[in-house]
Each structure stands twice: as C-alpha cells, then as structure tokens.
C-alpha cells in the first residue's frame, strides 16, 4: 500500500481475506446510511499487520490471527481499548454432497477407516492456520498418528475445499464459513471446540485514528446489524 493522504471522511479498512464477502456486504449496508468513503484492502493478517507497522494508511484492522493483533497492541499501533475479539468460526469435516459417509467426531473416531485408500484434504499444517487447527484437533482426538501420512495438504483452506468439491478426496477439514457458499460439499460433523485453539477474529482501531467518522463505522461494524450479516456467512458472534 503506497502512502497517501486520507481525508477526514475517508475510512481505511484492512481486513483478513477470509471475511471478504461478509465485510463487503456490511460496507454496502453502512453506505446506504452514510456519506463516508470506505477504502478496504483484503489480504492475509500478517501482511496487513506489516502494512500497519510500516505506517500504511489504515484506520481499522480485522485480524484472523490473534497473535498479530497482540503484536500491534504491544507495539502501540492499535488502540488497546478498542480491541474486540468479536467473531469466531468452527472447524468441520466435509465430504462431497453425494457421499454416504456419516459418523460422529469423537475421540478415536474411525477416520482412517473412512478414508479407505484415499487421503484427507487439509490445509498445510506447517504453514496455514486452518491446517494447524485441524492437526491440533486430530491429535486431541487421538487419531492423528493414523492419518498423518495420508494427508493431501493444500496451500490454503480454499484449496482444501476444492479437493473435496471435485471428489479428489472424500474427506476434508475446513472452516464452517467455507461450506456456506458451496453446493458441492456437506458437513459430516463439527469438531469439538475444545479440541483445538479457539478460532477468533479480532477487531481494532489503529492508534490515533479514532476520528468521529472512524468511530461511527467501527460501532456499526461491531454492532448487531453487522453481526447478523456475519452470521449469514457462517461466522459466530462472540
């Protein structure tokens, strides 16, 4: 992001890419009642946090990674009092919609047996948060050792979903929000929330950027109407 002057009525918003569709709809809703100009950029949380650290134009940050929000607050770049860990997500096991696979996720559940000769689609647990959540859940459920050598690791969770949608794998682990827009997969079951670290999206205002226009939009972004829109896209208000 190249530095530039932002007018008093402009609001610059940096948002984790996973929230693109929901936040776009929320912005549209807000602009029906406001003359403000919303400038939004979607990317991964680490890239956006680095932009804030490098003084790129930004008023509001929504992070899919609590660590990056913590980092910015500790360095005085996000107003601590503005932070709201407002949304959650769920981890789910999916299968192609025509599949007859059906079982309950619980400790020692027969995941390896259900895979048959196939592989488990999962975001790469070495690099991707969704894969890290998935690996943690499978370890907690005591089935990781049975499937660790039978993974189909993807570069991101959308790639993981695509493998299942195309039938290249019969089972995959993704977020609940990924399934909302797909007609090609269905949820087999939800992973227990206690089986993995909480999946939380954190909101905050950039330090010294709490103008009346920014505060007005931030209140809307974290209030009931916006939360109802987030729910439509599969997020869980906290």
């Amino acid at each position: 992001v190249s530095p530039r002057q932002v007018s008093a009525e402009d609001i610059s918003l940096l948002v984790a890419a996973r929230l693109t569709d929901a936040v776009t709809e929320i912005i549209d809703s807000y602009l029906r009642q406001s003359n403000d100009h919303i400038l939004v950029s979607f990317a991964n949380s680490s890239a956006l946090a680095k932009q804030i650290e490098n003084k790129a134009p930004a008023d509001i940050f929504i992070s899919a990674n609590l660590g990056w929000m913590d980092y910015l607050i500790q360095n005085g770049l996000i107003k601590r009092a503005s932070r709201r860990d407002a949304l959650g997500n769920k981890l789910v096991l999916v299968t192609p919609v025509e599949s007859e696979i059906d079982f309950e996720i619980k400790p020692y559940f027969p995941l390896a047996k259900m895979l048959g000769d196939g592989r488990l689609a999962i975001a790469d647990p070495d690099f991707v948060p969704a894969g890290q959540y998935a690996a943690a859940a499978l370890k907690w459920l005591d089935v990781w050792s049975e499937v660790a050598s039978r993974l189909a690791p993807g570069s991101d969770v959308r790639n993981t979903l695509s493998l299942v949608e195309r039938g290249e794998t019969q089972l995959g682990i993704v977020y609940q929000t990924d399934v909302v827009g797909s007609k090609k997969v269905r949820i087999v079951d939800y992973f227990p929330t206690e089986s993995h670290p909480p999946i939380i999206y954190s909101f905050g205002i950039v330090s010294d950027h709490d103008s009346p226009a920014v505060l007005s939009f931030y209140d809307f972004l974290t209030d009931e109407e916006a939360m109802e829109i987030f729910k439509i896209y599969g997020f869980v208000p906290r």
Side-chain angles (χ1 to χ4, degrees), residues 11-27 38-52 57-70 72-73 77-79 82-89 199-206 214 217-223 226-227 229-230 235-236 238:
I11 302 167
S12 183
L13 182 62
L14 302 186
V15 181
R18 178 152 307 284
L19 293 92
T20 298
D21 294 339
V23 169
T24 298
E25 184 171 334
I26 289 167
I27 290 172
I38 310 293
L39 309 170
V40 61
S41 176
F42 299 101
N44 66 67
S45 299
S46 59
L48 296 175
K50 289 298 183 182
Q51 289 180 19
I52 293 172
D59 298 310
I60 295 170
F61 178 43
I62 305 179
S63 178
N65 183 304
L66 293 181
W68 282 112
M69 185 62 80
D70 292 340
L72 293 175
I73 288 176
L77 297 170
I78 293 289
K79 186 177 180 181
S82 74
R83 179 177 183 165
R84 301 183 190 178
D85 294 344
L87 291 177
N89 208 336
I199 305 167
I200 299 174
Y201 303 85
S202 189
F203 297 51
I205 297 175
V206 176
V214 169
F217 177 66
Y218 192 68
D219 285 344
F220 183 85
L221 184 63
T222 55
D223 209 354
M227 289 298 126
I229 293 173
F230 280 122
F235 295 98
V236 182
R238 302 178 77 247

Side-chain angles (χ1 to χ4, degrees), residues 129-197:
Q132 293 163 356
Y133 290 128
L138 296 176
K139 290 173 183 177
W140 188 89
L141 292 159
D142 286 317
V143 297
W144 174 253
S145 60
E146 300 174 7
V147 299
S149 62
R150 303 179 59 188
L151 304 179
S155 57
D156 56 45
V157 71
R158 295 292 177 92
N159 176 258
T160 299
L161 181 69
S162 295
L163 289 175
V164 184
E165 287 181 325
R166 296 194 300 266
E168 295 181 28
T169 62
Q170 288 298 298
L171 290 168
I173 302 175
V174 299
Y175 294 123
Q176 173 179 261
T177 49
D178 295 302
V179 184
V180 170
S182 177
K183 297 180 180 179
K184 297 181 179 180
V185 303
R186 62 175 178 83
I187 294 174
V188 176
D189 200 5
Y190 294 81
F191 283 89
T193 55
E194 65 270 24
S195 69
H196 56 80

Side-chain angles (χ1 to χ4, degrees), residues 57-121:
D59 298 310
I60 295 170
F61 178 43
I62 305 179
S63 178
N65 183 304
L66 293 181
W68 282 112
M69 185 62 80
D70 292 340
Y71 174 82
L72 293 175
I73 288 176
Q74 290 164 5
N75 285 276
L77 297 170
I78 293 289
K79 186 177 180 181
R80 185 181 297 273
S82 74
R83 179 177 183 165
R84 301 183 190 178
D85 294 344
L87 291 177
N89 208 336
K90 294 182 179 180
L91 201 65
V92 298
L93 186 70
V94 295
T95 191
V97 69
E98 68 276 6
S99 167
E100 296 183 357
I101 292 176
D102 185 26
F103 56 89
E104 179 185 359
I105 293 177
K106 57 185 179 180
Y108 308 106
F109 73 106
L111 179 59
K113 179 179 179 181
M114 291 297 177
L115 285 174
D117 296 329
R119 292 183 174 271
L120 175 67

